[in-house]
Amino acid sequence: MTDGTEIRTRHIASDEGPLLRRLRLAALTDAPAAFWQTRDIVGREPASTWSRLAREGAASTRNVVVIAERTGEAIGMVQGLTPSRRAWLRELAAMWVAPEARGGAAADALVLAAVDWACRAGAEAVKLWVAPRNEPARRLYARHGFVALGGPQPVTDDPTVKTFIPMLRPLYPARPPSRR
Ligand SMILES: CC(C)(COP(=O)(O)OP(=O)(O)OC[C@H]1O[C@@H](n2cnc3c(N)ncnc32)[C@H](O)[C@@H]1OP(=O)(O)O)[C@@H](O)C(=O)NCCC(=O)NCCS
């Protein structure tokens, strides 16, 4: 539950690989069905992987990691990525709010920060994947203008991986269309 304390969001700092690891493993432990990656595999990633992800997520138009904090303590995260060969698109991933902070402002703040980042990066749309039975996440994303693109599909080429529903939110063009 939330106690009304203010939630702040910020981009991760380039030296915060250990924080990113802690949050991501907490998410995969708390809600394994919500993500296609598994805690076992992600938990084996070396420190260098987390350092790289934090560096890339700190100050880039291609990648971002947004942290939500309450009274200085990290209580959630979301990752923004640019899929290869789709410079116009950003993907929102690894969204998580700690159970004790749910039902408050954190989830909205994280989605808004990720969408704001995508707009500033010049993207035309934001895409994400959500588990079919993940009602809280589906409702959250729908509230923010994401629309399901169809039924459950594999996220990767691996047929053994769980299926997820793709959702898309178009972003308004930064410039009005030019006259012909
Ligand atoms: C998804 C998540 C970030 C949402 O955070 P939150 O703080 O619960 O978000 P909100 O309080 O805004 O709730 C979102 C919606 O779910 C609803 N909801 C909350 N708990 C619910 C439940 N148990 N069953 C169904 N709906 C529920 C809320 O009423 C709200 O819907 P509304 O906008 O129609 O009122 C959080 O639940 C979470 O981290 N879950 C585990 C990880 C995860 O699923 N990540 C998403 C991966 S795509």
Side-chain angles (χ1 to χ4, degrees), residues 107-135:
D108 279 339
L110 285 166
V111 174
L112 286 172
V115 169
D116 181 60
W117 164 79
C119 285
R120 288 169 192 270
E124 293 171 26
V126 181
K127 186 177 177 183
L128 57 83
W129 298 84
V130 63
R133 292 189 186 164
N134 193 344
E135 201 58 33

mmCIF file of all heavy atoms in Angstrom, residues 107-135:
data_model
loop_
_atom_site.group_PDB
_atom_site.id
_atom_site.type_symbol
_atom_site.label_atom_id
_atom_site.label_comp_id
_atom_site.label_asym_id
_atom_site.label_seq_id
_atom_site.Cartn_x
_atom_site.Cartn_y
_atom_site.Cartn_z
ATOM 1 N N ALA A 107 3.752 3.585 -10.486
ATOM 2 C CA ALA A 107 3.600 2.991 -11.818
ATOM 3 C C ALA A 107 3.338 4.080 -12.863
ATOM 4 O O ALA A 107 3.951 4.091 -13.940
ATOM 5 C CB ALA A 107 2.465 1.966 -11.806
ATOM 6 N N ASP A 108 2.442 5.007 -12.548
ATOM 7 C CA ASP A 108 2.165 6.117 -13.477
ATOM 8 C C ASP A 108 3.437 6.928 -13.735
ATOM 9 O O ASP A 108 3.733 7.291 -14.875
ATOM 10 C CB ASP A 108 1.104 7.051 -12.893
ATOM 11 C CG ASP A 108 -0.304 6.518 -13.089
ATOM 12 O OD1 ASP A 108 -0.503 5.674 -13.982
ATOM 13 O OD2 ASP A 108 -1.196 6.944 -12.341
ATOM 14 N N ALA A 109 4.174 7.217 -12.676
ATOM 15 C CA ALA A 109 5.376 8.050 -12.825
ATOM 16 C C ALA A 109 6.405 7.370 -13.723
ATOM 17 O O ALA A 109 7.050 8.022 -14.554
ATOM 18 C CB ALA A 109 5.976 8.346 -11.442
ATOM 19 N N LEU A 110 6.538 6.061 -13.580
ATOM 20 C CA LEU A 110 7.510 5.327 -14.407
ATOM 21 C C LEU A 110 7.083 5.313 -15.876
ATOM 22 O O LEU A 110 7.901 5.546 -16.769
ATOM 23 C CB LEU A 110 7.667 3.899 -13.878
ATOM 24 C CG LEU A 110 8.499 3.778 -12.593
ATOM 25 C CD1 LEU A 110 8.321 2.398 -11.961
ATOM 26 C CD2 LEU A 110 9.976 4.045 -12.862
ATOM 27 N N VAL A 111 5.801 5.033 -16.141
ATOM 28 C CA VAL A 111 5.335 5.008 -17.536
ATOM 29 C C VAL A 111 5.490 6.403 -18.156
ATOM 30 O O VAL A 111 5.984 6.552 -19.280
ATOM 31 C CB VAL A 111 3.877 4.519 -17.641
ATOM 32 C CG1 VAL A 111 3.375 4.634 -19.073
ATOM 33 C CG2 VAL A 111 3.760 3.072 -17.167
ATOM 34 N N LEU A 112 5.084 7.434 -17.407
ATOM 35 C CA LEU A 112 5.194 8.803 -17.938
ATOM 36 C C LEU A 112 6.648 9.163 -18.234
ATOM 37 O O LEU A 112 6.950 9.775 -19.260
ATOM 38 C CB LEU A 112 4.603 9.802 -16.939
ATOM 39 C CG LEU A 112 3.070 9.815 -16.855
ATOM 40 C CD1 LEU A 112 2.605 10.687 -15.698
ATOM 41 C CD2 LEU A 112 2.454 10.298 -18.168
ATOM 42 N N ALA A 113 7.557 8.777 -17.350
ATOM 43 C CA ALA A 113 8.976 9.110 -17.564
ATOM 44 C C ALA A 113 9.519 8.384 -18.790
ATOM 45 O O ALA A 113 10.285 8.964 -19.583
ATOM 46 C CB ALA A 113 9.784 8.737 -16.320
ATOM 47 N N ALA A 114 9.119 7.113 -18.976
ATOM 48 C CA ALA A 114 9.605 6.351 -20.133
ATOM 49 C C ALA A 114 9.038 6.928 -21.432
ATOM 50 O O ALA A 114 9.750 7.055 -22.439
ATOM 51 C CB ALA A 114 9.232 4.882 -19.990
ATOM 52 N N VAL A 115 7.756 7.280 -21.430
ATOM 53 C CA VAL A 115 7.147 7.847 -22.635
ATOM 54 C C VAL A 115 7.753 9.227 -22.938
ATOM 55 O O VAL A 115 8.028 9.565 -24.090
ATOM 56 C CB VAL A 115 5.608 7.927 -22.478
ATOM 57 C CG1 VAL A 115 4.979 8.748 -23.595
ATOM 58 C CG2 VAL A 115 5.010 6.522 -22.463
ATOM 59 N N ASP A 116 8.003 10.005 -21.900
ATOM 60 C CA ASP A 116 8.635 11.312 -22.079
ATOM 61 C C ASP A 116 10.021 11.148 -22.702
ATOM 62 O O ASP A 116 10.395 11.876 -23.630
ATOM 63 C CB ASP A 116 8.727 12.011 -20.713
ATOM 64 C CG ASP A 116 9.356 13.379 -20.836
ATOM 65 O OD1 ASP A 116 8.793 14.220 -21.563
ATOM 66 O OD2 ASP A 116 10.431 13.612 -20.240
ATOM 67 N N TRP A 117 10.766 10.173 -22.209
ATOM 68 C CA TRP A 117 12.097 9.894 -22.780
ATOM 69 C C TRP A 117 11.978 9.530 -24.265
ATOM 70 O O TRP A 117 12.747 10.014 -25.099
ATOM 71 C CB TRP A 117 12.763 8.756 -21.995
ATOM 72 C CG TRP A 117 13.924 8.149 -22.702
ATOM 73 C CD1 TRP A 117 15.200 8.638 -22.800
ATOM 74 C CD2 TRP A 117 13.907 6.928 -23.464
ATOM 75 N NE1 TRP A 117 15.972 7.793 -23.558
ATOM 76 C CE2 TRP A 117 15.204 6.744 -23.974
ATOM 77 C CE3 TRP A 117 12.922 5.981 -23.746
ATOM 78 C CZ2 TRP A 117 15.540 5.636 -24.763
ATOM 79 C CZ3 TRP A 117 13.255 4.887 -24.528
ATOM 80 C CH2 TRP A 117 14.552 4.726 -25.025
ATOM 81 N N ALA A 118 10.989 8.670 -24.600
ATOM 82 C CA ALA A 118 10.812 8.251 -25.996
ATOM 83 C C ALA A 118 10.464 9.443 -26.891
ATOM 84 O O ALA A 118 10.975 9.565 -28.009
ATOM 85 C CB ALA A 118 9.725 7.177 -26.079
ATOM 86 N N CYS A 119 9.606 10.332 -26.376
ATOM 87 C CA CYS A 119 9.235 11.538 -27.147
ATOM 88 C C CYS A 119 10.478 12.393 -27.394
ATOM 89 O O CYS A 119 10.734 12.831 -28.523
ATOM 90 C CB CYS A 119 8.230 12.388 -26.376
ATOM 91 S SG CYS A 119 6.567 11.730 -26.365
ATOM 92 N N ARG A 120 11.239 12.631 -26.339
ATOM 93 C CA ARG A 120 12.439 13.475 -26.483
ATOM 94 C C ARG A 120 13.468 12.840 -27.397
ATOM 95 O O ARG A 120 14.271 13.539 -28.029
ATOM 96 C CB ARG A 120 13.076 13.734 -25.116
ATOM 97 C CG ARG A 120 12.264 14.677 -24.250
ATOM 98 C CD ARG A 120 12.799 14.693 -22.832
ATOM 99 N NE ARG A 120 11.881 15.367 -21.956
ATOM 100 C CZ ARG A 120 11.914 16.668 -21.702
ATOM 101 N NH1 ARG A 120 12.841 17.426 -22.263
ATOM 102 N NH2 ARG A 120 11.031 17.215 -20.894
ATOM 103 N N ALA A 121 13.464 11.507 -27.471
ATOM 104 C CA ALA A 121 14.411 10.802 -28.343
ATOM 105 C C ALA A 121 13.944 10.828 -29.803
ATOM 106 O O ALA A 121 14.625 10.325 -30.684
ATOM 107 C CB ALA A 121 14.584 9.365 -27.867
ATOM 108 N N GLY A 122 12.742 11.387 -30.048
ATOM 109 C CA GLY A 122 12.242 11.508 -31.412
ATOM 110 C C GLY A 122 11.496 10.284 -31.912
ATOM 111 O O GLY A 122 11.273 10.146 -33.122
ATOM 112 N N ALA A 123 11.094 9.389 -31.003
ATOM 113 C CA ALA A 123 10.403 8.171 -31.444
ATOM 114 C C ALA A 123 8.990 8.495 -31.901
ATOM 115 O O ALA A 123 8.399 9.501 -31.504
ATOM 116 C CB ALA A 123 10.352 7.161 -30.296
ATOM 117 N N GLU A 124 8.435 7.600 -32.739
ATOM 118 C CA GLU A 124 7.068 7.773 -33.233
ATOM 119 C C GLU A 124 6.071 6.898 -32.473
ATOM 120 O O GLU A 124 4.866 7.102 -32.563
ATOM 121 C CB GLU A 124 7.013 7.439 -34.723
ATOM 122 C CG GLU A 124 7.797 8.451 -35.555
ATOM 123 C CD GLU A 124 7.941 8.024 -37.002
ATOM 124 O OE1 GLU A 124 7.095 7.262 -37.493
ATOM 125 O OE2 GLU A 124 8.919 8.453 -37.625
ATOM 126 N N ALA A 125 6.583 5.902 -31.746
ATOM 127 C CA ALA A 125 5.694 5.007 -30.999
ATOM 128 C C ALA A 125 6.481 4.285 -29.914
ATOM 129 O O ALA A 125 7.709 4.190 -29.983
ATOM 130 C CB ALA A 125 5.054 3.985 -31.945
ATOM 131 N N VAL A 126 5.755 3.815 -28.920
ATOM 132 C CA VAL A 126 6.350 2.989 -27.858
ATOM 133 C C VAL A 126 5.617 1.655 -27.852
ATOM 134 O O VAL A 126 4.384 1.613 -27.901
ATOM 135 C CB VAL A 126 6.217 3.653 -26.469
ATOM 136 C CG1 VAL A 126 6.862 2.781 -25.403
ATOM 137 C CG2 VAL A 126 6.841 5.038 -26.469
ATOM 138 N N LYS A 127 6.388 0.576 -27.806
ATOM 139 C CA LYS A 127 5.818 -0.775 -27.811
ATOM 140 C C LYS A 127 6.194 -1.487 -26.518
ATOM 141 O O LYS A 127 7.213 -1.159 -25.909
ATOM 142 C CB LYS A 127 6.379 -1.538 -29.015
ATOM 143 C CG LYS A 127 5.767 -2.903 -29.241
ATOM 144 C CD LYS A 127 6.361 -3.527 -30.505
ATOM 145 C CE LYS A 127 5.811 -4.930 -30.716
ATOM 146 N NZ LYS A 127 6.408 -5.577 -31.872
ATOM 147 N N LEU A 128 5.395 -2.427 -26.113
ATOM 148 C CA LEU A 128 5.755 -3.259 -24.964
ATOM 149 C C LEU A 128 5.081 -4.620 -25.122
ATOM 150 O O LEU A 128 4.224 -4.807 -25.994
ATOM 151 C CB LEU A 128 5.335 -2.582 -23.652
ATOM 152 C CG LEU A 128 3.861 -2.210 -23.488
ATOM 153 C CD1 LEU A 128 3.020 -3.383 -23.016
ATOM 154 C CD2 LEU A 128 3.719 -1.051 -22.502
ATOM 155 N N TRP A 129 5.470 -5.555 -24.269
ATOM 156 C CA TRP A 129 4.894 -6.903 -24.274
ATOM 157 C C TRP A 129 4.363 -7.169 -22.880
ATOM 158 O O TRP A 129 5.061 -6.927 -21.893
ATOM 159 C CB TRP A 129 5.964 -7.942 -24.615
ATOM 160 C CG TRP A 129 6.567 -7.771 -25.973
ATOM 161 C CD1 TRP A 129 7.589 -6.942 -26.321
ATOM 162 C CD2 TRP A 129 6.191 -8.451 -27.175
ATOM 163 N NE1 TRP A 129 7.879 -7.049 -27.661
ATOM 164 C CE2 TRP A 129 7.031 -7.977 -28.212
ATOM 165 C CE3 TRP A 129 5.223 -9.403 -27.477
ATOM 166 C CZ2 TRP A 129 6.931 -8.440 -29.521
ATOM 167 C CZ3 TRP A 129 5.140 -9.869 -28.787
ATOM 168 C CH2 TRP A 129 5.988 -9.386 -29.800
ATOM 169 N N VAL A 130 3.140 -7.704 -22.802
ATOM 170 C CA VAL A 130 2.548 -7.944 -21.490
ATOM 171 C C VAL A 130 1.945 -9.355 -21.460
ATOM 172 O O VAL A 130 1.372 -9.809 -22.460
ATOM 173 C CB VAL A 130 1.498 -6.853 -21.153
ATOM 174 C CG1 VAL A 130 0.327 -6.869 -22.114
ATOM 175 C CG2 VAL A 130 1.017 -6.959 -19.719
ATOM 176 N N ALA A 131 2.095 -10.024 -20.319
ATOM 177 C CA ALA A 131 1.550 -11.377 -20.186
ATOM 178 C C ALA A 131 0.025 -11.311 -20.236
ATOM 179 O O ALA A 131 -0.590 -10.416 -19.643
ATOM 180 C CB ALA A 131 2.017 -11.999 -18.873
ATOM 181 N N PRO A 132 -0.601 -12.263 -20.954
ATOM 182 C CA PRO A 132 -2.060 -12.210 -21.142
ATOM 183 C C PRO A 132 -2.848 -12.082 -19.842
ATOM 184 O O PRO A 132 -3.875 -11.418 -19.805
ATOM 185 C CB PRO A 132 -2.375 -13.534 -21.852
ATOM 186 C CG PRO A 132 -1.101 -13.939 -22.502
ATOM 187 C CD PRO A 132 0.019 -13.400 -21.672
ATOM 188 N N ARG A 133 -2.366 -12.742 -18.767
ATOM 189 C CA ARG A 133 -3.142 -12.725 -17.521
ATOM 190 C C ARG A 133 -2.685 -11.650 -16.542
ATOM 191 O O ARG A 133 -3.110 -11.635 -15.388
ATOM 192 C CB ARG A 133 -3.038 -14.085 -16.844
ATOM 193 C CG ARG A 133 -3.741 -15.156 -17.635
ATOM 194 C CD ARG A 133 -3.807 -16.424 -16.835
ATOM 195 N NE ARG A 133 -4.363 -17.509 -17.628
ATOM 196 C CZ ARG A 133 -4.267 -18.780 -17.307
ATOM 197 N NH1 ARG A 133 -3.637 -19.133 -16.218
ATOM 198 N NH2 ARG A 133 -4.802 -19.706 -18.077
ATOM 199 N N ASN A 134 -1.815 -10.766 -17.007
ATOM 200 C CA ASN A 134 -1.300 -9.712 -16.109
ATOM 201 C C ASN A 134 -2.259 -8.518 -16.125
ATOM 202 O O ASN A 134 -2.001 -7.486 -16.754
ATOM 203 C CB ASN A 134 0.107 -9.304 -16.540
ATOM 204 C CG ASN A 134 0.802 -8.460 -15.485
ATOM 205 O OD1 ASN A 134 0.153 -7.934 -14.574
ATOM 206 N ND2 ASN A 134 2.110 -8.330 -15.604
ATOM 207 N N GLU A 135 -3.366 -8.679 -15.416
ATOM 208 C CA GLU A 135 -4.432 -7.664 -15.456
ATOM 209 C C GLU A 135 -3.963 -6.285 -14.956
ATOM 210 O O GLU A 135 -4.245 -5.272 -15.601
ATOM 211 C CB GLU A 135 -5.623 -8.170 -14.628
ATOM 212 C CG GLU A 135 -6.950 -7.509 -14.973
ATOM 213 C CD GLU A 135 -7.369 -7.655 -16.431
ATOM 214 O OE1 GLU A 135 -7.075 -8.679 -17.065
ATOM 215 O OE2 GLU A 135 -7.983 -6.712 -16.942
#
